[in-house]
Amino acid sequence: MHALARHAYSAAERLVGNSRRRPRQKLSQREREILQWVAGGKTAWEVSRILGISENTVTTHLRNIKQKLSTANVVHAIVEAFRRHEIEL
């Protein structure tokens, strides 16, 4: 029961927005570059070929982007980054 309560509390904290306690993190130049390509419709594989890095590296950057922006998915991350003026569409 205790583990379930801790999990529920963590989930609620993420939903409510723990951004009040944590300062906003800015995206790195590489993260902005990758998100810009993804916003333009490129897949992780295509971005990896364009930038000369592995697809796994692109996927890792996307995971870090979602974490920094406190977003649930890549589309949400694109919208949030645009809203914060980190990328342009």
Side-chain angles (χ1 to χ4, degrees):
M1 190 63 133
H2 180 69
L4 181 60
R6 287 179 54 142
H7 179 72
Y9 178 80
S10 294
E13 189 176 49
R14 282 191 308 272
L15 287 174
V16 170
N18 52 5
S19 61
R20 290 179 222 150
R21 288 192 310 237
R22 191 181 329 156
R24 279 189 169 178
Q25 291 183 316
K26 286 197 161 265
L27 299 179
S28 70
Q29 178 61 37
R30 183 60 111 181
E31 289 168 339
R32 284 192 303 274
E33 184 177 21
I34 287 171
L35 198 56
Q36 190 73 52
W37 281 111
V38 172
K42 301 295 184 193
T43 64
W45 181 84
E46 291 170 324
V47 173
S48 74
R49 296 299 150 236
I50 292 167
L51 299 178
I53 58 179
S54 75
E55 184 177 1
N56 188 48
T57 300
V58 173
T59 304
T60 299
H61 278 299
L62 289 171
R63 184 177 58 244
N64 293 340
I65 290 166
K66 290 185 294 185
Q67 185 176 26
K68 280 184 178 181
L69 299 177
S70 300
T71 56
N73 56 50
V74 175
V75 174
H76 187 190
I78 292 167
V79 171
E80 183 63 18
F82 178 72
R83 192 182 69 73
R84 292 183 180 193
H85 305 288
E86 298 234 27
I87 62 170
E88 297 176 2
L89 299 179

